[in-house]
């Protein structure tokens, strides 16, 4: 039977395994429940989670991941029963409620929920679980950072995953009781806070962009729009033998009116059990033109069994990031002429010292016979007015937060600038006008193609 397991922030405002992702877990057996209490620490976007595994369930402690000595911070403690049925869960909650959690020397029942305290000196914070008699039962340590000032402004994310953490960077007082976040007009469940960030739990259901509003001490300090998407993983076969194949389907919902390419990180957490088509770690690009009219996008990846056993595949949805670009001289020899225009608002001079009066000019751009090099011949009233040497530049995407297809697309477009080509082959239009850009005591003439991959640029001076 296929069982999709989402992380604890979707079910109990915390996480149980790797932190910032949704996972699909396929298992062939259930391990026996350990008699002793096991403590572990994992990290997600903006927070740590300490997990104490008991016979009756798990106790989760969410803390900010940027804690520093002397900080006032807030944590949330959530006991979650393992059993099924109301009566069983009620008994298990009562059993876990007998335990206490100690943070910075302060003890409180595991059912206390919100905890606010001052981080003590040291390299790590001890999170201790105490039994009903106050005796240490388990302990984990969360690393501390060097003290740092809060950011000067607030940064609100524009997208997130259903039930996942929503991290707001900004200046806070570390007390969750003074902070609130509204998403789509509904309060978000608090998770952790430090003087530099606030982390809350996102909505459970996917939705198009909705207003998000952040308040501190009852005053709105930041706002924006927030899109909530869901990711569902499924496969027809969940128990693979060595060499056996199945297909993993990744479905993303909540993409109505998507404007930017959305990166979805895919991670095979069990490479010793299965191999995943495209690599064990990869980023899928959810492109606006690939989204259905119902706001859904899907992709498949083949899985091949290495050995029998359970396996886990996880996903992470991140915000679209800026593309980085580099500009280089085109490696093409230009042939033919390009007839263009130029309008100088004030007198200028060419690099050769020729004076150019203010006013309109006809410009003939011609290749010099060297790759990427051109000469501009300026005419006015039917007379030659001067020349300027320039270059044909091309932009190449050198990276993207999304997958490598973005880079390949730009490089293939720019590859049109190789060999011997005419100006129109690169996308330059006859009759277009140069832009005149002031740069201190100099001028730069710029003529770009409509796609802005290629440009002709030449310097002038005042």
């Amino acid at each position: 039977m296929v069982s999709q397991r989402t992380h604890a922030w979707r079910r109990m405002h915390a996480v149980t395994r790797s932190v910032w992702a949704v996972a699909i877990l396929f298992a062939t057996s259930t391990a026996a429940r350990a008699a002793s209490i096991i403590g572990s620490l994992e990290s997600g976007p903006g927070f740590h989670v300490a997990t104490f595994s008991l016979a009756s369930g798990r106790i989760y402690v969410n803390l900010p991941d940027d804690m520093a000595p002397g900080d006032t911070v807030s944590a949330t403690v959530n006991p979650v029963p393992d059993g099924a049925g109301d009566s069983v869960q009620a008994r298990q909650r009562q059993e876990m409620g007998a335990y206490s959690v100690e943070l910075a020397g302060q003890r409180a029942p595991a059912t206390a929920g919100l905890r606010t305290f001052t981080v003590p000196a040291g390299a790590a914070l001890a999170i201790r679980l105490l039994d009903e008699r106050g005796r240490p039962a388990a302990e984990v340590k969360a690393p501390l950072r060097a003290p740092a000032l809060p950011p000067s402004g607030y940064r609100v994310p524009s997208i997130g995953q259903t039930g996942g953490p929503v991290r707001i960077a900004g200046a806070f007082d570390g007390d969750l009781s003074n902070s609130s976040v509204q998403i789509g007009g509904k309060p978000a469940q608090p998770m952790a806070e430090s003087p530099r960030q606030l982390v809350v739990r996102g909505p459970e259901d996917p939705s198009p962009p909705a207003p998000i509003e952040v308040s501190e001490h009852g005053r709105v300090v930041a706002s924006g729009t927030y899109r909530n998407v869901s990711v569902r993983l499924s496969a027809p076969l969940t128990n693979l033998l060595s060499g056996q194949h199945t297909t993993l389907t990744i479905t993303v919902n909540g993409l109505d009116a998507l404007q930017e390419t959305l990166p979805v990180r895919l991670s095979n957490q069990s490479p010793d059990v299965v191999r995943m088509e495209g690599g064990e770690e990869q980023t899928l690009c959810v492109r606006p033109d690939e989204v259905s009219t119902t706001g859904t996008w899907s992709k498949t990846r083949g899985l091949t069994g290495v050995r029998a056993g359970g396996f886990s595949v996880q996903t992470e949805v991140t915000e679209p990031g800026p593309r980085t670009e580099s500009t280089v001289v085109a490696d093409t020899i230009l042939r033919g002429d390009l007839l263009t225009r130029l309008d100088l608002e004030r007198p200028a001079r060419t690099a050769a010292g020729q004076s150019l009066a203010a006013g309109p000019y006809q410009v003939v751009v011609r290749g010099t016979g060297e790759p990427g090099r051109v000469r501009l011949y300026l005419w006015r009233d039917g007379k030659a007015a001067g020349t300027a040497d320039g270059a044909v530049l091309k932009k190449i995407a050198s990276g993207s937060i999304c997958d490598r297809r973005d880079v390949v697309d730009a490089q293939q477009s720019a590859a049109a600038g190789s060999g011997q080509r005419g100006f129109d082959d690169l996308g330059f239009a006859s009759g277009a006008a140069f832009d005149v850009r002031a740069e201190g005591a100099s001028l730069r003439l710029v003529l770009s193609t409509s796609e802005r991959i290629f440009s002709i640029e030449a310097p002038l001076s005042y």
Side-chain angles (χ1 to χ4, degrees):
M1 179 178 68
V2 177
S3 62
Q4 178 166 319
R5 177 181 178 182
T6 57
H7 287 296
W9 61 53
R10 298 192 61 189
R11 297 188 293 115
M12 76 287 291
H13 322 309
V15 294
T16 61
R17 286 177 59 90
S18 174
V19 287
W20 60 97
V22 168
I24 182 169
L25 301 180
F26 303 108
T28 57
S29 63
T30 302
R33 183 173 293 165
S36 61
I37 297 175
I38 300 173
S40 63
L41 183 78
E42 294 170 296
S43 299
F47 71 102
H48 297 304
V49 58
T51 304
F52 297 104
S53 300
L54 292 74
S56 53
R58 292 176 176 82
I59 297 173
Y60 299 97
V61 184
N62 295 313
L63 306 110
D65 70 349
D66 63 342
M67 294 182 295
D71 281 351
T72 296
V73 302
S74 290
T76 51
V77 183
N78 302 291
V80 180
D82 270 352
D86 293 342
S87 60
V88 173
Q89 291 189 0
R91 175 179 56 80
Q92 291 178 336
R93 286 193 185 94
Q94 185 177 7
E95 292 174 1
M96 288 188 288
Y99 286 83
S100 298
V101 175
E102 182 179 287
L103 296 168
Q106 301 176 12
R107 299 182 180 184
T111 55
L114 175 63
R115 301 284 300 275
T116 301
F117 58 94
T118 300
V119 180
L125 173 71
I127 303 109
R128 296 187 179 94
L129 183 70
L130 310 174
D131 67 14
E132 63 274 9
R133 297 183 181 180
R135 298 173 300 186
E139 177 181 313
V140 296
K141 292 185 177 181
L144 300 182
R145 297 186 182 181
L149 294 174
S152 58
Y154 292 87
R155 183 178 182 276
V156 179
S158 62
I159 197 164
Q161 201 162 331
T162 51
V166 181
R167 177 182 178 271
I168 298 103
F172 297 95
D173 63 5
D175 188 348
L176 267 174
S177 66
N178 298 324
S179 307
S180 66
V181 176
Q182 297 267 338
I183 300 177
K186 298 180 180 180
Q189 178 68 38
M191 292 181 65
E193 183 177 318
S194 77
R196 293 161 293 274
Q197 62 177 349
L198 167 64
V199 183
V200 299
R201 179 180 177 234
E204 286 287 349
D205 298 320
S207 65
I212 179 171
E213 193 173 80
V214 182
S215 297
E216 181 80 345
H217 292 278
R219 182 176 65 90
V220 176
V221 295
S223 61
T225 56
Y226 180 81
R227 178 190 292 274
N228 204 40
V229 302
S230 68
V231 181
R232 182 172 59 87
L233 306 178
S234 61
L237 298 178
T238 62
N239 298 312
L240 298 182
L241 301 176
S242 177
Q244 193 173 14
H245 301 278
T246 192
T247 300
L248 176 71
T249 300
I250 307 101
T251 304
V252 185
N253 289 297
L255 301 173
D256 308 76
L258 183 69
Q259 299 296 317
E260 296 181 273
T261 300
L262 178 65
V264 176
R265 185 71 179 168
L266 201 61
S267 176
N268 178 12
Q269 299 295 294
S270 309
D272 59 325
V273 179
V274 296
R275 290 283 185 265
M276 184 165 61
E277 174 192 359
E280 312 313 318
E281 299 282 343
Q282 55 186 283
T283 300
L284 306 178
C285 282
V286 181
R287 301 182 185 279
D289 59 357
E290 297 175 350
V291 176
S292 71
T293 55
T294 59
T296 300
W297 175 94
S298 64
K299 186 72 70 175
T300 60
R301 285 291 182 265
L303 298 177
T304 303
V306 176
R307 62 174 177 84
F311 61 88
S312 169
V313 177
Q314 299 179 347
T315 63
E316 176 192 2
V317 175
T318 58
E319 291 188 81
R323 230 182 248 187
T324 58
E325 293 181 325
S326 59
T327 302
V328 298
V329 176
D331 54 353
T332 186
I333 296 176
L334 278 303
R335 50 179 171 76
D337 293 344
L338 176 65
L339 305 180
T340 63
R341 298 177 290 112
L342 170 65
D343 193 355
L344 291 176
E345 294 183 354
R346 56 183 294 186
R349 299 178 66 86
T350 67
Q354 298 163 316
S355 297
L356 300 174
Y361 289 83
Q362 294 79 42
V363 182
V364 178
V365 184
R366 185 175 299 159
T368 65
E370 297 180 24
R373 301 297 174 180
V374 294
R375 181 161 295 151
L376 280 62
Y377 297 87
L378 286 77
W379 293 74
R380 187 172 185 184
D381 299 329
K383 298 179 180 179
T387 61
D389 289 329
V392 176
L393 305 179
K394 65 180 178 181
K395 290 182 179 179
I396 298 179
S398 57
S400 169
I401 196 171
C402 202
D403 67 10
R404 296 301 178 186
R405 285 185 294 166
D406 289 338
V407 179
V408 172
D409 290 346
Q411 288 176 338
Q412 288 177 343
S413 296
S418 301
Q420 292 192 16
R421 309 186 73 86
F423 289 97
D424 56 344
D425 293 331
L426 304 185
F428 291 105
S430 180
F434 274 91
D435 291 331
V436 181
R437 302 178 184 177
E439 298 177 343
S442 63
L443 296 173
R444 185 158 54 100
L445 306 183
V446 180
L447 180 67
S448 299
T449 60
S450 59
E451 295 181 349
R452 298 192 178 280
I453 293 177
F454 294 97
S455 63
I456 298 172
E457 302 189 13
L460 294 178
S461 61
Y462 288 122

